[in-house]
Amino acid sequence: MNTQVPEAAVPAHNSRQHLLGLDGVRGLAILMVMIGHFIVVGKHLDYKVDGQRFFTSGYLGVDLFFVLSGFLITGILIDAKGTPGYFKVFYIRRALRIFPLYYGLLALGWLSVIFITPGDKQVLTGHNSMAWYWLYASNIGMAVKGGWLASPTWLGLGHFWSLAVEEQFYLVWPLIVMLLPVKWLQRLCVALVISSPIIHAILQNQIGLLATYVSTLNRLGVLAAGAWLAIMWRNPDGWKQVTRWLVPVTGFFGIILLIERIFVIYPLASCESFIMIFFGAGCVGLAANGDGAISRFIFESRMLRWLGKYSYGIYVYHHALKPVWMHFFWRGWIVPTIGSGWPGTFTYMACATVASLLLAWLSWKFFESPILSLKSRFTYRSRQR
C-alpha cells in the first residue's frame, strides 16, 4: 500500500463513470445486514457456538458499506478538487440524497411520540433524547449513555448510528482532501489503516465495547481503505499494481474471516475489524476493476445490483420498521400459526424482507427519486485555470 501517486498523473478513471459492480457491493452489504437482523427473531442462534456464529455475521455488511463510501466519496472529492463550489455542491448533493428519508423517518417518530404513544416521551429528553438523532450524533449519545438509545414504540432507530458515522465523515473529509496533496492523502490513508487496531484497542479500553463499535474513530480504517483505493484507481500505473493483488488478498482475508465466523476463535475475533478492512477493500477493488470474472458473475449480477440501487431505503426501513414487522408478522400471525421455531423464523425473514424491499422501491419511485432529480441543478464545474 505504498505506491506513490504522481500529483500530475492523468486519471485512468473518474467519479462520473457508473460501475455496475459497485451497485452489487451495495447489494451484498444490505443483504448481509438484512439477514443478520431478521434471522435472530426466533433467538435460536448463539454466536459463541461453532457453526452458529456464521449466521450472526450480518453486521459485517456495515463495514462493507463504509469501505464503499470511502471509495466513492473520496473519488468524488478528488475529481472535484479545485472546482468552484467544491464544498457547496458536495454538501447539497449529499443532503439531497441522505436527508429527506432520514429526517422524514425522524419526523414520523417524533409525531408518533407526541400524538400516538405519549408514554414514549422519555425518548424526547435526557440520555435517550431524539436530539442525538436530529444532530446525526446518535453514536455519541450511545457513548454518553453507555448503551443503546431508546426508540419510539413503533420505530426502531438504533441502526442510525452508522448514518451518524457517515455524516461525521462527510463533515471532515472534504476539508482534508482539499488541503492535502494526493500523495499525502494517500499516506494518511495508509497510516489510518495501519493504526486502526491500535485505535480500536485504545477506544475499547477507554470507552467500552459498544461505544467503540459505533465510534467514527473506530471506523476510520475501513473508510481510509476505500479512500486509498479511490486514489489508486485514478492512476493507471498504481491501479495496475493493485489489480495483481486483488484476488489473493481478498481470497486470503475472506478465508480467514470465514474461519473466524464459523469457529469461536477469540484471537481472530479480536482482529475482526482489521481483517474486514482488507476483505472489504478487496471486494470493492474487484468490483471497481470491472473486467474480472468475479465482478461479472457476483457483483454485476442483476439481483445484487437491484438490491444495491435501493440499498439506502432498504437499510433505513428494514430495521426502522422492525416493531411493525414484529407486531403484525411475528406476534400477530407467524407464532400463533406456525410457531417460533425455524419454520416460523424463515417465514418471518421472507415476509419482513419482501415488505422492506417493496417499501424501499415505493419510496425510491415516489419520494426519493423526485428529490434526487434536483441534483442536476448542482453539478461540479470545470476547474479554474
Side-chain angles (χ1 to χ4, degrees):
M1 297 178 68
N2 59 355
T3 304
Q4 295 290 321
V5 176
E7 189 72 18
V10 177
H13 309 93
N14 61 69
S15 57
R16 294 183 180 181
Q17 294 174 256
H18 181 74
L19 300 174
L20 298 179
L22 296 184
D23 289 335
V25 173
R26 287 192 191 92
L28 175 61
I30 193 58
L31 188 63
M32 292 171 64
V33 171
M34 274 199 303
I35 291 174
H37 279 153
F38 291 157
I39 201 170
V40 298
V41 66
K43 299 181 179 179
H44 308 300
L45 297 173
D46 185 347
Y47 73 94
K48 296 181 181 180
V49 176
D50 290 353
Q52 296 185 26
R53 184 176 175 83
F54 173 78
F55 297 100
T56 64
S57 305
Y59 64 93
L60 296 178
V62 177
D63 281 320
L64 199 51
F65 272 125
F66 284 142
V67 176
L68 181 59
S69 179
F71 178 85
L72 292 172
I73 296 303
T74 304
I76 290 170
L77 293 171
I78 289 174
D79 293 342
K81 190 173 180 178
T83 63
Y86 169 83
F87 289 106
K88 176 184 176 181
V89 174
F90 174 78
Y91 284 118
I92 289 177
R93 290 175 68 88
R94 284 289 85 198
L96 289 172
R97 181 67 191 103
I98 303 297
F99 285 4
L101 189 53
Y102 181 88
Y103 283 118
L105 260 292
L106 287 186
L108 286 177
W110 182 78
L111 290 172
S112 72
V113 171
I114 298 298
F115 298 108
I116 301 176
T117 55
D120 286 338
K121 286 187 178 179
Q122 75 273 9
V123 305
L124 300 181
T125 59
H127 288 318
N128 290 312
S129 173
M130 286 185 69
W132 293 114
Y133 292 106
W134 288 100
L135 296 173
Y136 273 102
S138 59
N139 57 339
I140 299 174
M142 291 175 192
V144 172
K145 180 184 177 182
W148 294 95
L149 302 179
S151 294
T153 298
W154 293 102
L155 201 65
L157 302 176
H159 62 315
F160 277 12
W161 70 266
S162 61
L163 302 181
V165 169
E166 287 279 359
E167 286 300 315
Q168 291 158 23
F169 173 63
Y170 297 159
L171 195 62
V172 176
W173 199 244
L175 180 62
I176 292 175
V177 174
M178 185 190 75
L179 293 177
L180 291 182
V182 173
K183 64 179 181 180
W184 282 103
L185 182 65
Q186 183 188 13
R187 291 169 182 171
L188 174 62
C189 292
V190 173
L192 289 173
V193 168
I194 293 173
S195 63
S196 62
I198 300 173
I199 295 173
H200 178 86
I202 293 172
L203 288 173
Q204 190 163 318
N205 181 60
Q206 295 295 318
I207 63 177
L209 185 61
L210 175 63
T212 298
Y213 176 74
V214 300
S215 169
T216 301
L217 293 176
N218 186 50
R219 303 292 171 162
L220 290 178
V222 282
L223 289 164
W228 181 85
L229 278 176
I231 296 169
M232 301 306 294
W233 192 66
R234 282 161 173 75
N235 177 261
D237 293 333
W239 187 247
K240 186 177 180 180
Q241 294 185 41
V242 170
T243 55
R244 294 175 182 172
W245 291 96
L246 283 176
V247 172
V249 167
T250 310
F252 174 77
F253 284 98
I255 291 171
I256 297 297
L257 189 65
L258 186 63
I259 292 171
E260 186 272 322
R261 293 313 303 170
I262 292 177
F263 304 104
V264 184
I265 306 174
Y266 289 107
L268 280 181
S270 64
C271 302
E272 183 180 80
S273 58
F274 192 64
I275 296 169
M276 196 60 199
I277 289 174
F278 293 93
F279 177 70
C283 289
V284 172
L286 288 169
N289 202 35
D291 58 355
I294 295 176
S295 180
R296 288 196 303 271
F297 292 109
I298 298 179
F299 298 120
E300 294 181 25
S301 67
R302 287 190 176 184
M303 182 192 76
L304 289 184
R305 283 166 44 208
W306 190 93
L307 289 172
K309 180 177 180 179
Y310 306 108
S311 59
Y312 179 51
I314 297 171
Y315 185 78
V316 169
Y317 289 124
H318 89 281
H319 202 56
L321 295 177
K322 179 182 176 181
V324 177
W325 310 150
M326 291 292 290
H327 179 79
F328 290 102
F329 295 147
W330 183 249
R331 292 188 294 269
W333 167 52
I334 294 172
V335 172
T337 57
I338 302 176
S340 61
W342 277 114
T345 296
F346 289 136
T347 303
Y348 171 81
M349 291 175 67
C351 292
T353 297
V354 171
S356 300
L357 299 185
L358 178 60
L359 186 57
W361 178 80
L362 290 171
S363 175
W364 172 267
K365 186 174 180 64
F366 297 107
F367 178 55
E368 297 169 69
S369 188
I371 295 174
L372 285 174
S373 65
L374 298 175
K375 290 173 72 173
S376 62
R377 301 182 183 181
F378 305 96
T379 58
Y380 297 103
R381 290 178 286 170
S382 301
R383 285 180 172 85
Q384 292 176 326
R385 298 185 181 276

